[in-house]
Amino acid sequence: MREWFEQRPLREQALLLLMGATLFLWILYTLIWSPLDQRRDQLREQNLAAVEALSRVDAMVSELQSLRESGAGAGPRERNLAALVNRGTQRLGLPVSRLQPGARGDLQVRLESAPFDSLVTWLHELEQREGLLIAELAVTPAGQPGRVDATLRVSEGL
Protein backbone atom coordinates (compact mmCIF):
# COMPACT_ATOMS: atom_id res chain seq x y z
CA MET A 1 0.00 0.00 0.00
CA ARG A 2 2.88 2.33 0.82
CA GLU A 3 4.53 1.61 -2.53
CA TRP A 4 1.31 2.43 -4.34
CA PHE A 5 1.02 5.70 -2.39
CA GLU A 6 4.63 6.72 -3.11
CA GLN A 7 4.14 6.05 -6.82
CA ARG A 8 1.45 8.72 -6.98
CA PRO A 9 2.36 12.28 -7.88
CA LEU A 10 2.77 14.74 -4.98
CA ARG A 11 -0.51 16.44 -5.79
CA GLU A 12 -2.43 13.13 -5.57
CA GLN A 13 -0.59 12.23 -2.36
CA ALA A 14 -1.64 15.56 -0.83
CA LEU A 15 -5.23 15.04 -1.95
CA LEU A 16 -5.26 11.47 -0.60
CA LEU A 17 -3.88 12.68 2.75
CA LEU A 18 -6.45 15.46 2.84
CA MET A 19 -9.24 13.01 2.00
CA GLY A 20 -7.98 10.57 4.66
CA ALA A 21 -7.87 13.32 7.30
CA THR A 22 -11.36 14.47 6.30
CA LEU A 23 -12.66 10.90 6.49
CA PHE A 24 -11.04 10.45 9.90
CA LEU A 25 -12.62 13.67 11.21
CA TRP A 26 -16.02 12.68 9.82
CA ILE A 27 -15.84 9.25 11.49
CA LEU A 28 -14.69 10.89 14.74
CA TYR A 29 -17.65 13.30 14.62
CA THR A 30 -20.21 10.65 13.63
CA LEU A 31 -19.17 7.94 16.08
CA ILE A 32 -18.00 9.97 19.09
CA TRP A 33 -18.86 13.66 19.11
CA SER A 34 -22.46 13.56 17.84
CA PRO A 35 -23.68 10.78 20.23
CA LEU A 36 -22.04 12.56 23.17
CA ASP A 37 -23.68 15.83 22.16
CA GLN A 38 -27.09 14.17 21.85
CA ARG A 39 -26.68 12.48 25.24
CA ARG A 40 -25.71 15.80 26.82
CA ASP A 41 -28.91 17.37 25.42
CA GLN A 42 -30.99 14.48 26.77
CA LEU A 43 -29.42 14.85 30.22
CA ARG A 44 -30.03 18.61 30.14
CA GLU A 45 -33.73 18.01 29.37
CA GLN A 46 -33.99 15.41 32.16
CA ASN A 47 -32.32 17.83 34.56
CA LEU A 48 -34.76 20.61 33.64
CA ALA A 49 -37.71 18.24 34.16
CA ALA A 50 -36.33 17.23 37.57
CA VAL A 51 -35.88 20.88 38.55
CA GLU A 52 -39.48 21.64 37.53
CA ALA A 53 -40.77 18.65 39.50
CA LEU A 54 -38.75 19.72 42.52
CA SER A 55 -40.13 23.24 42.36
CA ARG A 56 -43.70 21.86 42.19
CA VAL A 57 -43.02 19.64 45.20
CA ASP A 58 -41.51 22.59 47.10
CA ALA A 59 -44.61 24.68 46.31
CA MET A 60 -46.89 21.87 47.52
CA VAL A 61 -44.88 21.47 50.72
CA SER A 62 -45.08 25.22 51.39
CA GLU A 63 -48.82 25.20 50.77
CA LEU A 64 -49.30 22.18 53.03
CA GLN A 65 -47.27 23.77 55.81
CA SER A 66 -49.21 27.02 55.57
CA LEU A 67 -52.50 25.11 55.68
CA ARG A 68 -51.36 23.17 58.75
CA GLU A 69 -50.21 26.35 60.47
CA SER A 70 -53.46 28.15 59.72
CA GLY A 71 -55.49 25.28 61.16
CA ALA A 72 -57.14 24.39 57.85
CA GLY A 73 -56.10 20.78 58.34
CA ALA A 74 -58.39 20.35 61.34
CA GLY A 75 -61.60 20.56 59.30
CA PRO A 76 -61.40 17.25 57.44
CA ARG A 77 -60.71 15.29 60.65
CA GLU A 78 -64.18 16.13 61.92
CA ARG A 79 -65.95 14.64 58.89
CA ASN A 80 -68.02 11.51 59.11
CA LEU A 81 -66.41 8.94 56.81
CA ALA A 82 -69.48 6.71 56.75
CA ALA A 83 -71.68 9.60 55.62
CA LEU A 84 -69.23 10.55 52.85
CA VAL A 85 -69.02 6.94 51.65
CA ASN A 86 -72.79 6.45 51.75
CA ARG A 87 -73.47 9.69 49.91
CA GLY A 88 -71.02 8.83 47.10
CA THR A 89 -72.04 5.20 46.69
CA GLN A 90 -75.75 6.03 46.61
CA ARG A 91 -75.22 8.78 44.05
CA LEU A 92 -73.26 6.43 41.74
CA GLY A 93 -75.44 3.37 42.43
CA LEU A 94 -72.68 1.29 44.00
CA PRO A 95 -74.01 -1.64 46.07
CA VAL A 96 -72.41 -1.52 49.53
CA SER A 97 -72.64 -4.89 51.27
CA ARG A 98 -70.56 -3.99 54.35
CA LEU A 99 -69.46 -0.77 56.01
CA GLN A 100 -67.28 -1.37 59.06
CA PRO A 101 -65.46 1.29 61.11
CA GLY A 102 -61.88 0.49 62.07
CA ALA A 103 -60.03 1.08 65.33
CA ARG A 104 -57.71 3.68 63.73
CA GLY A 105 -60.54 5.91 62.54
CA ASP A 106 -60.64 4.31 59.11
CA LEU A 107 -63.57 2.63 57.39
CA GLN A 108 -63.68 -0.72 55.61
CA VAL A 109 -66.10 -0.88 52.67
CA ARG A 110 -67.20 -4.00 50.76
CA LEU A 111 -68.86 -3.63 47.35
CA GLU A 112 -70.30 -6.61 45.49
CA SER A 113 -71.09 -6.73 41.78
CA ALA A 114 -70.33 -3.03 41.36
CA PRO A 115 -69.92 -1.42 37.93
CA PHE A 116 -66.18 -0.99 37.44
CA ASP A 117 -66.45 2.46 35.83
CA SER A 118 -68.57 3.77 38.70
CA LEU A 119 -66.13 2.31 41.23
CA VAL A 120 -63.17 4.05 39.60
CA THR A 121 -65.11 7.34 39.44
CA TRP A 122 -66.01 7.05 43.12
CA LEU A 123 -62.42 6.24 44.16
CA HIS A 124 -61.20 9.26 42.21
CA GLU A 125 -63.75 11.49 43.93
CA LEU A 126 -62.79 10.17 47.37
CA GLU A 127 -59.13 10.95 46.86
CA GLN A 128 -59.27 14.10 44.74
CA ARG A 129 -62.39 15.94 45.94
CA GLU A 130 -62.70 14.73 49.50
CA GLY A 131 -58.99 14.39 50.26
CA LEU A 132 -59.41 10.88 51.65
CA LEU A 133 -56.83 8.13 51.38
CA ILE A 134 -57.54 4.69 49.92
CA ALA A 135 -55.22 2.76 52.24
CA GLU A 136 -56.03 -0.71 50.86
CA LEU A 137 -57.90 -1.88 47.78
CA ALA A 138 -58.67 -5.38 46.50
CA VAL A 139 -60.66 -5.79 43.28
CA THR A 140 -61.80 -9.09 41.74
CA PRO A 141 -64.07 -9.87 38.78
CA ALA A 142 -67.68 -10.44 39.80
CA GLY A 143 -68.61 -12.89 37.07
CA GLN A 144 -70.49 -10.41 34.89
CA PRO A 145 -68.72 -8.27 32.29
CA GLY A 146 -67.92 -4.82 33.65
CA ARG A 147 -68.72 -5.76 37.26
CA VAL A 148 -66.31 -6.28 40.13
CA ASP A 149 -66.23 -7.10 43.83
CA ALA A 150 -64.10 -4.68 45.82
CA THR A 151 -62.93 -4.35 49.39
CA LEU A 152 -61.23 -1.14 50.45
CA ARG A 153 -60.12 0.72 53.52
CA VAL A 154 -60.70 4.48 53.51
CA SER A 155 -58.97 6.82 55.93
CA GLU A 156 -58.38 10.52 56.34
CA GLY A 157 -55.70 11.96 54.08
CA LEU A 158 -52.82 14.14 55.23
Side-chain angles (χ1 to χ4, degrees):
M1 179 85 155
R2 186 177 181 152
E3 288 178 23
W4 175 83
F5 179 76
E6 289 176 354
Q7 290 176 358
R8 303 282 146 223
L10 287 176
R11 186 173 180 182
E12 278 186 37
Q13 287 179 3
L15 287 174
L16 285 171
L17 287 173
L18 181 64
M19 186 177 66
T22 304
L23 182 63
F24 174 76
L25 290 174
W26 179 79
I27 289 172
L28 184 70
Y29 175 79
T30 303
L31 296 179
I32 297 173
W33 186 265
S34 181
L36 287 175
D37 191 43
Q38 290 172 357
R39 180 66 179 149
R40 185 193 68 212
D41 291 343
Q42 288 174 348
L43 290 173
R44 182 180 298 136
E45 289 176 14
Q46 289 175 354
N47 191 20
L48 289 174
V51 167
E52 288 176 15
L54 180 61
S55 67
R56 286 193 307 266
V57 168
D58 285 342
M60 286 184 220
V61 166
S62 297
E63 182 180 347
L64 182 61
Q65 286 175 342
S66 66
L67 287 173
R68 283 184 179 166
E69 289 171 3
S70 68
R77 301 273 183 228
E78 299 168 1
R79 296 185 295 182
N80 185 349
L81 285 178
L84 285 171
V85 167
N86 281 330
R87 190 171 35 237
T89 55
Q90 286 175 356
R91 186 175 45 77
L92 293 170
L94 293 169
V96 176
S97 63
R98 185 178 69 210
L99 199 61
Q100 180 178 357
R104 295 172 285 191
D106 56 354
L107 187 67
Q108 186 175 21
V109 183
R110 173 74 180 159
L111 305 168
E112 292 183 0
S113 191
F116 180 74
D117 294 339
S118 298
L119 173 66
V120 172
T121 301
W122 178 59
L123 293 174
H124 175 75
E125 289 176 2
L126 285 178
E127 287 197 335
Q128 298 301 317
R129 286 191 196 156
E130 303 296 339
L132 298 177
L133 178 67
I134 308 300
E136 294 176 8
L137 174 65
V139 179
T140 57
Q144 297 174 352
R147 300 239 174 217
V148 293
D149 295 333
T151 303
L152 60 135
R153 189 167 50 92
V154 181
S155 63
E156 291 289 340
L158 296 175

